[in-house]
Amino acid sequence: MLTQTEINIIKDSAPALAQYGEDITGRFYQILFQSHPELSHIFNMTNQKSGSQKAALATAVYAFAKYVDNLEVILGDVERIAQKHASLGIKSEHYPLVGSALLQAIDEILQPPQSVIDAWAKGYGILADVFINREQALYDQKSEQQGGWRGTREFTLVNKVMETPLITSFYLKPNDGLAISDFVPGQYIAVHMQPAGAENHQIRQYSLSSAYNKNSYRISVKKEQSPHGEGLISNYLHDSVNVGDTLNLSNPFGEFYLQESSNPVVLISGGVGITPMQAMLETLVSGGSREVHFVHGALNSEHHAYKEMHNNITDTEQVTTHVFYEQAPAEPADNHYQGLINLELLKSDLPLNSAEFYLCGPLAMMKAVYKQLKTLQVADENIFYEVFGASKALAE
């Protein structure tokens, strides 16, 4: 355990971490990959180029310093990170390597007294043990459950369906023909691969986009493109992976999922953020008991994934759908709107005081929707969300 003096030292370093956090984490990654280039096969190197990973890590390091005497505040973040680490295959022996690089970066950037380095070394060791123990529990749980496994498992692509001009669904069955792990709708799997010509082994996490069916998994992947190189794997999946090819997958993981409850559910998604919501929607429809409100935003009807299913369940006894198209709706209907998602238009239809709200989509969209929910006085404990990529908070 940390002494009160050590806690005070770490907390007192929080302002410096807020100011120089990205300098520290940027240097940390340089040190880490120079000393241990093999770790570049685990970390998402595209996020390194864009800077999103160092920003996310800086936020996490600052949060630890700020709440070192009240770690319950960041337990949600710890669980989110542990779940992602498990899908990546992080091992206990990686933690000392990361800790050494982080302490060296703090020392180089801040040049603090030795007492600060010593306090952070002890604090990091305690936090590392939390992650190691939680991740080991996840590995054990997954390997011991029916259909589970350790590490990665080979799956064959048995079908490939274009949902929109940018989103394609991939249907995957295990090569060994045995059972597969159950999952809670909202969770993801990691695809482990090294495309021809790629410098590093690549790992990407994709939400499972259908209800569990015991035989196969479905992921629906958006073909990404950006100046920083996002889209290396999504483009490879779209353009080069064909029916009959083999992919290596992790078990399903993730702390964002449909809660067990009888409360009404409001699913709100934008663009490819529809993927975990689709798994939730299919599960809820097959269960047939909970009141469901499905709200989705897309560029237009052509870019509305799973549109046919949504049209078929419109205004059923259980499910009500509301679709927002940024461009004019090609198929005008009572439940279609033009523009961005606007919950003010729906407030008389939504059970604001009793529902659980699930959000997924572009960060700007989720921040806007979260602000609307707070204006409508929805409690934070009833709002659940998933951010694709390096995590960011909605309340900023």
Side-chain angles (χ1 to χ4, degrees):
M1 297 292 293
L2 291 169
T3 67
Q4 188 59 51
T5 298
E6 290 164 338
I7 289 172
N8 292 341
I9 289 172
I10 293 173
K11 286 183 70 70
D12 288 346
S13 67
L17 292 170
Q19 183 176 356
Y20 298 105
E22 290 194 35
D23 295 330
I24 292 169
T25 55
R27 179 60 184 140
F28 156 75
Y29 283 118
Q30 290 176 351
I31 296 167
L32 185 66
F33 296 135
Q34 287 170 1
S35 302
H36 304 282
E38 71 277 7
L39 295 182
S40 63
H41 297 293
I42 298 176
F43 287 82
N44 186 329
M45 300 309 290
T46 299
N47 286 344
Q48 299 300 316
K49 294 176 183 177
S50 69
S52 61
Q53 193 62 60
K54 72 174 184 179
L57 179 58
T59 300
V61 172
Y62 170 73
F64 175 72
K66 184 176 180 180
Y67 299 111
V68 66
D69 57 345
N70 186 20
L71 291 179
E72 288 189 2
V73 174
I74 61 172
L75 283 181
D77 290 331
V78 169
E79 180 63 15
R80 174 184 56 79
I81 294 169
Q83 294 276 346
K84 287 186 177 292
H85 282 181
S87 77
L88 296 173
I90 297 297
K91 300 176 180 178
S92 59
E93 55 261 36
H94 292 143
Y95 280 92
L97 309 182
V98 168
S100 176
L102 180 62
L103 292 174
Q104 183 178 335
I106 292 173
D107 193 24
E108 288 184 13
I109 300 300
L110 298 183
Q111 298 183 350
Q114 186 60 41
S115 59
V116 173
I117 297 298
D118 292 342
W120 266 96
K122 188 173 178 181
Y124 173 82
I126 292 171
L127 187 61
D129 285 342
V130 171
F131 280 113
I132 290 169
N133 292 334
R134 178 56 184 149
E135 288 155 22
Q136 186 58 53
L138 289 171
Y139 293 139
D140 291 343
Q141 174 193 344
K142 290 295 182 178
S143 65
E144 293 166 5
Q145 75 179 57
Q146 183 176 6
W149 63 92
R150 281 191 183 270
T152 61
R153 183 174 172 187
E154 290 187 341
F155 281 69
T156 297
L157 180 65
V158 295
N159 198 11
K160 186 176 178 181
V161 177
M162 180 177 287
E163 307 286 357
T164 76
L166 293 178
I167 299 174
T168 293
S169 287
F170 299 81
Y171 293 76
L172 299 149
K173 286 189 174 181
N175 287 9
D176 56 23
L178 300 177
I180 57 175
S181 292
D182 194 357
F183 64 89
V184 189
Q187 292 187 308
Y188 52 79
I189 55 175
V191 177
H192 294 239
M193 60 165 48
Q194 186 160 353
E199 182 179 354
N200 299 303
H201 179 84
Q202 305 286 333
I203 308 173
R204 296 293 186 275
Q205 293 145 333
Y206 296 110
S207 297
L208 291 154
S209 61
S210 66
Y212 177 65
N213 65 21
K214 299 183 181 179
N215 299 311
S216 65
Y217 293 134
R218 182 179 75 185
I219 57 174
S220 301
V221 179
K222 180 184 177 184
K223 191 174 186 178
E224 301 280 3
Q225 196 63 55
S226 86
H228 299 295
E230 283 91 344
L232 171 66
I233 297 305
S234 66
N235 279 264
Y236 183 78
L237 288 169
H238 275 249
D239 299 338
S240 302
V241 175
N242 300 304
V243 171
D245 289 346
T246 295
L247 297 175
N248 291 296
L249 306 183
S250 74
N251 275 284
F253 289 101
E255 90 298 346
F256 171 73
Y257 52 80
L258 186 65
Q259 304 295 303
E260 289 189 12
S261 128
S262 59
N263 294 334
V265 179
V266 182
L267 307 175
I268 306 176
S269 58
V272 75
I274 197 171
T275 52
M277 302 307 183
Q278 185 66 19
M280 293 184 187
L281 180 63
E282 292 182 14
T283 302
L284 289 162
V285 169
S286 65
S289 59
R290 296 176 70 178
E291 175 186 342
V292 182
H293 298 263
F294 183 80
V295 182
H296 180 61
L299 180 64
N300 52 39
S301 63
E302 186 183 18
H303 288 267
H304 178 175
Y306 324 113
K307 178 178 64 176
E308 184 176 348
M309 179 206 176
H310 302 156
N311 288 341
N312 289 339
I313 64 172
T314 297
D315 294 329
T316 62
E317 185 174 342
Q318 182 193 6
V319 183
T320 301
T321 65
H322 301 277
V323 180
F324 290 79
Y325 292 143
E326 291 184 44
Q327 299 173 352
E331 304 165 4
D334 291 341
N335 66 325
H336 285 67
Y337 309 82
Q338 183 172 355
L340 303 177
I341 293 174
N342 183 352
L343 299 183
E344 184 69 23
L345 299 176
L346 312 180
K347 66 179 182 180
S348 61
D349 298 321
L350 301 179
L352 297 171
N353 295 325
S354 59
E356 295 167 1
F357 292 79
Y358 296 83
L359 319 180
C360 190
L363 185 60
M365 164 256 164
M366 287 202 294
K367 286 185 173 182
V369 169
Y370 175 80
K371 185 176 181 180
Q372 292 175 51
L373 289 174
K374 297 312 296 177
T375 298
L376 294 170
Q377 300 184 332
V378 175
D380 277 330
E381 57 265 28
N382 293 328
I383 301 173
F384 307 88
Y385 64 91
E386 173 82 309
V387 177
F388 293 157
S391 183
K392 298 179 178 68
L394 300 189
E396 294 180 347

